[in-house]
Amino acid sequence: KLASPPPRARPAAAMGRQAAVLLAPAVAVLGVSLAVPWLLCMFPLRPYLGFAVVQVQTAVDALPEDVRKYLIGSIFVTCPIALITALGGVAYKVYYATVDRVNHYLSKHCQVTMIFTSKDKHYDVVLDYIGSRCCVETGKILASTQPRSNPSFQERLAGWLGGKMNMPSLYYQPDIQSFASFFHWTDDEGTTHKIWLSRQIEKPQIRSDSGKGARDPETISLTMWWSTDSGVLKQFLTTALQTMLKEDSEGTVDIYVKHMWVTMWTKAISRERRDRDTIVLDEGLADYVVEDMRHFFTKTTADWYHNAGIPYRRGYLLYGPPGCGKTSFAQVLAGELRLDVCLMNLSNGEMNDDDLAELLRAAPARSMLLLEDVDAIFVERGAGTDKRGRGGGVSFSGLLNALDGAAAQEGCVIMLTTSHKDRLDEALIRPGRCDVHVHIEKASKDQAKRMFWRFFAKEATIRSASGAGVVTTAAAHGFRTGDAIMYKTCGDDDALISSGQKAESQTVFYARVDPTVPPHSQTRLELHRTAESALGGERAALADLAGGKGAKLQTLPEAGTRFATRIPDKQVSMAKLQGYLMKQKLLAEQEVKAKRGASPAEDSVEHNFGLQESMWALASETAVMNVHELLDVKPEAEDTQVTVYDHFRRVGVHHFAPLFEHFGVRFKRDLSEDLIERMGAWDPLLKGDGPRRDRLVQLLKGDKAIDAVYGLADLSILRDRFLSTFQGMPEAGAAGAANGATKNGTKAMPPLVLTRARSDPSGSNDAPPPPRKELLRSSSGVKDDQGLRLLEMAHAFQERLERHGKTDVSIWQLDMHFQRYEGDPVGALEHCSRLRLACEDRAPAEREAKWMTAFGFLRRLGLEAHVFSLEDNGFGLWVDFKHLSKDELKDKGGMSEADAVLCHAVLSGNKERADLLRKFQSPEFSDLVEFFRERFPEAPRSDARLFAVRLTDDAGFCAFSCLQVRAYLAVAAGRAAAFADIGLGLQPEAEARGALARPEKPPPPGEPDDWVHLWLKAEKLDGFSRAFLDQALSTREDVLRAPIDHDVLKGMGINKLGDRCKILRMIEAEGSA
């Protein structure tokens, strides 16, 4: 609004100035008129003029008639004109010389003028003060729906929410012309001053058709007549700036950008100053940077810089992943220290090194020069080129010189942000250019909790506080007895006094409210120091409070702690976290409003309060429950810290981990491809081919083909796989009961209570959350009870496998688990916690390397009867006889030809006999199912799956070989017997070894009475009688008729030459007798 002017009056000063302007021309003409005759009288010019006339007349008469007539006509026309022009020029010069002298005199002795240019950032502030606080005498008023300076947040908010049809706010300003207008201003002492005002546009700028662009540079002149004292004008400017800045700049930050055409800063917009609590950073990080910057802007620091000869400027580098709040933190820093922000766009091809240096030198005092994403500006150290390939833009060296060159700006803060610090040149981020490096990481658990509180905490403003611990709020607070309440200061509000001292911000109290007052009318509460006293109503622990008007009280919902436990540390950006919580809040609002309806009859305070309470409860619980939507990326494994056991567990080969640990291979980083050959000597299962060994080899080689099953399942995969596996299954528990569950423990479960366990050390007593089924019905769109039951179980499955917001279960483990509990969602849920067993959960016996014994090896091949022969020859472990040949196995193990071939093929890992190696290998879970169905084709698949469950552990490992299982099923009388006799037919190794008895040795045979035995015994060679008897040489005639020589005797096993010679002599002697 324009202030109403006082009654018009024409003071003597104005009348005197107008009279002087009008009389000056008259005085000049009068002076010329009197001076000319006086000059003619003083000087005798007539004789000279007569002589000149005679001479001219004589010359003219001598000319031809036609020429003379033309000349005379010209003279009579041009001479008067020339005379008049000359007299006019003289009069013009005399007039303006007189006016200039008069104006100079008046300016020097009768007026004082002050000039203010639009290049100053407070130019609009002065004009706003003149238009709103002074009485401007002008005939033109500018009306606009846009203010000349930036509107307040509430004014902008009204425009955002009003729509096109709402009446916009009108703003009025006096139209200051290039000729003088004036206004009246009253100072603090009540004296009214008349100040003349004029405006001059320096250089009109080119603007686009849309009207956008930089404003024309302009200047205003403030003048006071009949005074040479500039004190009034100085006081006017001081008052204008103090008044307007106190109203406007307390809560705003001015943001400047480069002028469109001129190398100067122009104010782009004013933003509301962001409080430090509006950003959620790691504890203490914001305080550290704010205190460092505040210390820089102190006189002591400035003097130290000056005395040390160091340029007075400080640089900060904010680096970290995108979406973590680097730019927001820069805005908070500017607001905390009342700094202006100058945005520098170095990608502008029209700006060169000189323009950049000039901009930095012209930066407003106490400002922050902000360069965002500096890693994307320079790829090389050189100037860029425009689209046509012409050189232009800012060079890297130009940027360095502008930041801290000899002519660089001082008294400012330089703020650089980047998402890739490693891409920046060291020269750009060295001390002197970037003195403080601040790493802003992804959200920690504490940040996630505080961000959750920002969205779903209840907040109230203190109206008053009494010494008895009773606080009155400005509106209904909605707090409950036992709620943890955090006190927060807000700018210039009154400090809350607790026990005679100023309470620190973020102090936690505990609320107690009157249960007889309806929540929508509750504005009083008691603040206690402990949760116990709040719940018990103990008066002794009441906080002694006073003041605090305008401060905030905020609840600390317990759901925030549960939400934080489900967020993996440093893996989710703050932007993503904020977007997720905003989505849950909006969805909850839509759901609650759809249920409650929006009829005008229900539009009451109680109804709206209940609507808000329901929305808070639903949004907070769905945000906790649906956190898998936020964690849609798989956590990256920390390869350097993964143990061999956990590494192998992901693909079901963790039973081999103790062997690797025995040989010093304890972490994933210790694995190498060289171990593939070495491990064959540790265990025969690691020697030949097989599914388990193949997966192990892929891990050792780092084969990418196994990544599909090796990778960890994120929370969303756990839930979705559970739903897809059991979609359409019968009611939970029915399948397990139908399968005759025994060992695997599947049985019907009571209705699930899936609300996560709550631990509330603060004693918070939040409103009870909606039932889980109602939450699922609201957030998923599933309406039928069976679908909700399955969805409820899927969320429980997800939560039970969660560990600190992550899961340690691989895709392979998940698939194996669902194979084991196919058609049994209750069993899959009840036993899923076994999937979380990690290296540290192993018992001491499970950490010991178990070496395969000779019995264990032979038993897998069905050759356990030969174990005593091998053990008698000193072969207790398989490694002791793995070098034996086939013949040696026959000799020392007492094996037949076929048994020796089978045993030797496995010992040597003969890949050409894959059929024999397959008999020794351990079957997979799917193999066991197929074995059972091959033996009993009529059996349902559930029986085959249950048989496989009985023979495997939770990871699907079977301790028996394919040959053992097939042999057991082959002799089973039926399906019932196959289940009933498992304990007898497939005993553990220790039990089977104890049940195996050593065969008794046959009694020694009697002494033969054959002639050949008696004949050899007489010469003490009866030891060779068996060799003769084996060849059917028992009588004297048989011996004498046989063609016996040295070769025959050697073939009979008589290897010593002396024995053979003696026997041949005996035969010769017997034949000659």
Side-chain angles (χ1 to χ4, degrees):
K1 296 181 179 180
L2 289 174
S4 301
R8 283 179 172 268
R10 298 187 62 81
M15 297 177 63
R17 184 174 184 274
Q18 294 179 2
V21 173
L22 294 175
L23 288 176
V27 171
V29 173
L30 180 61
V32 172
S33 302
L34 295 177
V36 170
W38 180 76
L39 291 174
L40 294 176
C41 294
M42 289 295 296
F43 298 98
L45 300 178
R46 183 171 299 176
Y48 299 101
L49 292 176
F51 176 76
V53 171
V54 171
Q55 294 297 323
V56 171
Q57 185 66 40
T58 302
V60 170
D61 292 340
L63 295 174
E65 183 64 23
D66 54 347
V67 176
R68 186 171 60 252
K69 290 180 180 180
Y70 177 78
L71 182 60
I72 291 174
S74 299
I75 291 175
F76 278 102
V77 173
T78 57
C79 286
I81 294 176
L83 180 60
I84 293 173
T85 302
L87 292 177
V90 172
Y92 177 81
K93 286 293 185 180
V94 172
Y95 169 74
Y96 275 98
T98 304
V99 171
D100 289 341
R101 295 300 298 174
V102 172
N103 286 337
H104 177 71
Y105 179 82
L106 294 176
S107 300
K108 185 175 181 180
H109 299 284
C110 302
Q111 71 175 19
V112 59
T113 301
M114 186 172 291
I115 298 174
F116 206 63
T117 177
S118 62
K119 293 182 179 179
D120 193 289
K121 68 177 183 177
H122 295 124
Y123 181 79
D124 286 336
V125 174
V126 175
L127 289 185
D128 285 346
Y129 181 81
I130 293 173
S132 60
R133 303 301 177 91
C134 301
C135 304
V136 182
E137 295 286 345
T138 179
K140 289 186 177 181
I141 297 177
L142 296 177
S144 175
T145 58
Q146 295 291 332
R148 183 179 182 93
S149 60
N150 291 291
S152 66
F153 175 77
Q154 294 300 329
E155 291 173 327
R156 293 200 303 269
L157 182 62
W160 297 335
L161 304 181
K164 294 183 178 180
M165 300 303 295
N166 283 20
M167 175 65 184
S169 301
L170 288 173
Y171 302 90
Y172 302 97
Q173 290 284 350
D175 185 15
I176 305 171
Q177 305 296 324
S178 57
F179 54 85
S181 301
F182 63 87
F183 61 88
H184 294 88
W185 172 69
T186 304
D187 59 18
D188 295 337
E189 297 178 356
T191 304
T192 301
H193 303 275
K194 184 175 183 179
I195 300 176
W196 292 82
L197 177 67
S198 63
R199 178 174 67 106
Q200 296 83 31
I201 298 178
E202 298 177 4
K203 294 180 180 179
Q205 304 294 311
I206 301 175
R207 299 191 181 185
S208 63
D209 294 337
S210 62
K212 297 181 180 179
R215 189 177 59 197
D216 301 336
E218 59 184 49
T219 300
I220 59 171
S221 299
L222 304 175
T223 303
M224 291 188 63
W225 280 92
W226 314 119
S227 174
T228 59
D229 184 11
S230 62
V232 175
L233 293 180
K234 292 179 180 179
Q235 183 183 2
F236 166 77
L237 286 178
T238 302
T239 303
L241 292 175
Q242 288 178 345
T243 303
M244 301 304 291
L245 291 179
K246 184 177 181 180
E247 295 179 359
D248 299 336
S249 63
E250 281 294 327
T252 61
V253 173
D254 294 335
I255 300 177
Y256 291 84
V257 297
K258 179 185 176 296
H259 194 281
M260 180 175 290
W261 308 106
V262 184
T263 305
M264 59 176 287
W265 294 105
T266 181
K267 185 176 177 181
I269 194 172
S270 290
R271 294 288 189 189
E272 294 290 324
R273 184 173 65 87
R274 291 189 61 174
D275 190 74
R276 196 186 312 181
D277 293 337
T278 61
I279 59 169
V280 182
L281 296 177
D282 275 340
E283 193 69 28
L285 180 61
D287 295 339
Y288 164 72
V289 180
V290 169
E291 291 305 319
D292 182 88
M293 195 174 292
R294 182 173 284 120
H295 179 264
F296 173 74
F297 284 110
T298 59
K299 187 177 185 305
T300 303
T301 303
D303 290 341
W304 183 88
Y305 271 81
H306 176 72
N307 295 332
I310 300 175
Y312 182 55
R313 53 178 168 266
R314 193 159 181 81
Y316 294 83
L317 175 68
L318 306 182
Y319 67 97
C324 292
K326 298 183 290 295
T327 302
S328 299
F329 187 32
Q331 294 177 1
V332 167
L333 292 174
E336 284 285 329
L337 283 90
R338 308 293 198 273
L339 303 179
D340 294 329
V341 178
C342 297
L343 294 178
M344 292 190 289
N345 181 17
L346 300 186
S347 60
N348 184 0
E350 300 296 330
M351 184 169 61
N352 55 32
D353 292 349
D354 294 336
D355 294 337
L356 177 62
E358 177 62 26
L359 280 175
L360 265 62
R361 286 193 295 270
R366 195 177 173 85
S367 61
M368 175 190 291
L369 304 176
L370 180 59
L371 283 80
E372 296 189 90
D373 297 323
V374 291
D375 57 284
I377 298 174
F378 295 101
V379 179
E380 297 178 352
R381 286 193 173 199
T385 57
D386 60 16
K387 296 181 180 179
R388 300 181 181 179
R390 300 174 299 183
V394 177
S395 67
F396 187 78
S397 60
L399 173 62
L400 299 183
N401 291 330
L403 291 178
D404 71 340
Q409 171 69 296
E410 294 190 45
C412 63
V413 167
I414 300 172
M415 184 72 64
L416 279 67
T417 69
T418 179
S419 299
H420 305 281
K421 181 183 177 182
D422 55 316
R423 298 180 184 176
L424 300 181
D425 194 288
E426 289 295 330
L428 180 62
I429 59 176
R430 66 161 175 80
R433 294 192 178 107
C434 293
D435 304 283
V436 180
H437 294 201
V438 182
H439 188 196
I440 301 180
E441 300 179 275
K442 291 185 177 181
S444 64
K445 291 184 178 297
D446 180 69
Q447 287 176 280
K449 178 173 64 177
R450 288 187 285 143
M451 178 66 78
F452 187 95
W453 288 344
R454 280 189 57 196
F455 275 85
F456 304 119
K458 301 175 186 177
E459 193 172 87
T461 303
I462 298 178
R463 175 180 291 174
S464 62
S466 68
V470 177
V471 172
T472 303
T473 58
H477 48 69
F479 300 159
R480 297 173 181 269
T481 298
D483 281 352
I485 307 295
M486 183 173 66
Y487 159 71
K488 293 169 44 179
T489 57
C490 301
D492 296 331
D493 52 23
D494 294 339
L496 183 67
I497 306 300
S498 176
S499 301
Q501 297 182 351
K502 182 178 179 181
E504 296 184 359
S505 182
Q506 300 186 357
T507 300
V508 177
F509 300 96
Y510 298 90
R512 181 176 179 81
V513 299
D514 187 353
T516 63
V517 180
H520 66 276
S521 303
Q522 188 70 262
T523 58
R524 292 170 58 86
L525 72 155
E526 296 177 355
L527 294 183
H528 291 249
R529 299 191 181 280
T530 63
E532 292 76 11
S533 66
L535 294 172
E538 301 175 6
R539 310 294 297 177
L542 273 173
D544 185 12
L545 304 175
K549 183 178 181 180
K552 301 291 185 182
L553 295 178
Q554 173 187 298
T555 60
L556 305 179
E558 179 272 338
T561 303
R562 291 186 284 128
F563 176 76
T565 60
R566 304 195 67 188
I567 300 298
D569 200 47
K570 307 294 185 183
Q571 290 200 15
V572 181
S573 69
M574 295 299 297
K576 189 173 183 180
L577 199 62
Q578 179 174 294
Y580 167 77
L581 294 176
M582 179 65 73
K583 173 186 174 182
Q584 301 302 322
K585 183 175 182 293
L586 294 178
L587 291 177
E589 288 180 355
Q590 295 172 3
E591 179 68 22
V592 171
K593 288 180 180 178
K595 285 185 176 180
R596 294 276 182 123
S599 60
E602 295 181 348
D603 190 12
S604 62
V605 175
E606 182 178 1
H607 171 76
N608 293 334
F609 189 86
L611 200 70
Q612 190 71 12
E613 287 283 308
S614 300
M615 186 275 295
W616 270 330
L618 179 60
S620 60
E621 288 301 319
T622 53
V624 176
M625 182 182 65
N626 296 327
V627 74
H628 60 274
E629 298 179 7
L630 177 64
L631 308 175
D632 57 353
V633 294
K634 298 178 182 179
E636 297 179 359
E638 299 177 2
D639 291 348
T640 57
Q641 298 299 327
V642 173
T643 63
V644 164
Y645 179 85
D646 293 333
H647 183 51
F648 288 177
R649 181 175 62 93
R650 295 188 185 181
V651 290
V653 294
H654 52 286
H655 289 83
F656 299 128
L659 295 175
F660 283 79
E661 292 171 343
H662 176 81
F663 290 99
V665 183
R666 299 186 179 277
F667 294 95
K668 180 181 177 181
R669 63 170 179 264
D670 301 329
L671 297 175
S672 65
E673 198 168 343
D674 299 338
L675 294 172
I676 297 176
E677 296 297 329
R678 292 173 51 193
M679 68 183 186
W682 303 344
D683 192 287
L685 290 173
L686 297 174
K687 199 173 186 65
D689 292 332
R692 276 189 173 79
R693 184 183 182 277
D694 292 343
R695 293 198 298 271
L696 181 57
V697 170
Q698 286 179 313
L699 288 181
L700 295 179
K701 289 183 176 180
D703 193 342
K704 298 297 183 182
I706 203 172
D707 290 348
V709 295
Y710 174 83
L712 295 178
D714 58 42
L715 296 183
S716 61
I717 290 180
L718 295 179
R719 172 181 175 273
D720 295 343
R721 285 287 184 93
F722 190 95
L723 291 174
S724 62
T725 300
F726 301 111
Q727 197 72 39
M729 291 289 104
E731 187 69 24
N739 288 340
T742 54
K743 178 180 176 181
N744 69 334
T746 54
K747 59 182 181 297
M749 291 178 61
L752 294 175
V753 181
L754 297 183
T755 303
R756 293 171 61 84
R758 301 187 178 201
S759 58
D760 186 16
S762 63
S764 176
N765 186 28
D766 291 341
R772 176 60 65 93
K773 187 170 291 187
E774 291 301 319
L775 292 175
L776 294 173
R777 193 188 304 273
S778 300
S779 61
S780 67
V782 179
K783 303 302 180 184
D784 62 287
D785 291 339
Q786 185 172 349
L788 288 174
R789 170 71 172 174
L790 184 63
L791 189 59
E792 190 177 11
M793 295 174 69
H795 278 277
F797 182 78
Q798 176 194 79
E799 292 176 354
R800 292 182 183 182
L801 291 181
E802 177 190 334
R803 179 181 293 179
H804 307 301
K806 301 180 184 179
T807 173
D808 297 328
V809 180
S810 68
I811 301 295
W812 189 92
Q813 291 175 281
L814 197 62
D815 291 341
M816 175 55 61
H817 185 72
F818 289 146
Q819 284 186 44
R820 288 176 59 81
Y821 297 97
E822 179 182 349
D824 182 13
V826 174
L829 173 61
E830 187 176 20
H831 300 97
C832 66
S833 58
R834 300 174 184 174
L835 295 174
R836 293 180 52 180
L837 296 177
C839 179
E840 59 271 16
D841 301 323
R842 290 184 295 172
E846 295 176 325
R847 299 174 183 270
E848 298 178 0
K850 295 179 177 60
W851 307 101
M852 186 171 288
T853 63
F855 173 78
F857 179 88
L858 295 173
R859 182 174 181 242
R860 297 180 69 87
L861 296 175
L863 305 176
E864 57 267 35
H866 301 286
V867 67
F868 297 105
S869 299
L870 290 175
E871 288 178 347
D872 291 344
N873 285 281
F875 303 125
L877 300 175
W878 83 276
V879 294
D880 298 332
F881 63 89
K882 65 181 181 179
H883 60 280
L884 295 181
S885 65
K886 181 178 63 175
D887 293 335
E888 289 175 325
L889 289 173
K890 292 167 57 179
D891 181 32
K892 298 183 179 181
M895 300 181 186
S896 65
E897 180 72 17
D899 293 343
V901 169
L902 173 60
C903 186
H904 184 263
V906 175
L907 288 174
S908 61
N910 188 357
K911 296 183 179 180
E912 296 180 357
R913 296 303 307 271
D915 57 327
L916 301 182
L917 296 179
R918 177 61 176 162
K919 295 181 178 181
F920 184 81
Q921 295 166 2
S922 296
E924 299 279 287
F925 187 90
S926 57
D927 295 331
L928 295 173
V929 173
E930 293 303 319
F931 293 166
F932 190 89
R933 300 191 70 182
E934 287 176 6
R935 175 65 180 83
F936 305 107
E938 74 286 354
R941 184 175 178 84
S942 58
D943 283 359
R945 181 188 62 81
L946 186 58
F947 176 77
V949 170
R950 294 285 303 274
L951 292 183
T952 58
D953 63 6
D954 295 314
F957 178 77
C958 178
F960 306 103
S961 67
C962 293
L963 185 145
Q964 287 177 279
V965 176
R966 284 180 177 273
Y968 169 75
L969 291 174
V971 299
R975 283 186 292 164
F979 282 102
D981 297 338
I982 285 180
L984 297 175
L986 294 173
Q987 294 178 321
E989 181 178 335
E991 296 179 12
R993 184 68 178 85
L996 183 65
R998 177 185 289 271
E1000 296 183 0
K1001 293 182 179 181
E1007 186 176 359
D1009 57 356
D1010 298 282
W1011 177 87
V1012 70
H1013 176 73
L1014 298 175
W1015 174 60
L1016 292 173
K1017 184 178 180 182
E1019 298 295 333
K1020 298 182 180 181
L1021 294 174
D1022 53 322
F1024 300 117
S1025 62
R1026 175 55 58 185
F1028 281 85
L1029 293 174
D1030 290 342
Q1031 299 298 325
L1033 300 175
S1034 58
T1035 65
R1036 179 174 182 276
E1037 289 77 10
D1038 295 335
V1039 174
L1040 293 178
R1041 292 176 181 176
I1044 298 176
D1045 56 12
H1046 279 280
D1047 294 334
V1048 173
L1049 292 175
K1050 187 174 182 181
M1052 293 169 60
I1054 303 174
N1055 297 321
K1056 293 183 179 182
L1057 180 60
D1059 293 338
R1060 294 199 300 268
C1061 292
K1062 188 174 182 180
I1063 291 175
L1064 290 175
R1065 288 196 300 270
M1066 290 172 60
I1067 293 175
E1068 183 179 358
E1070 189 68 27
S1072 61

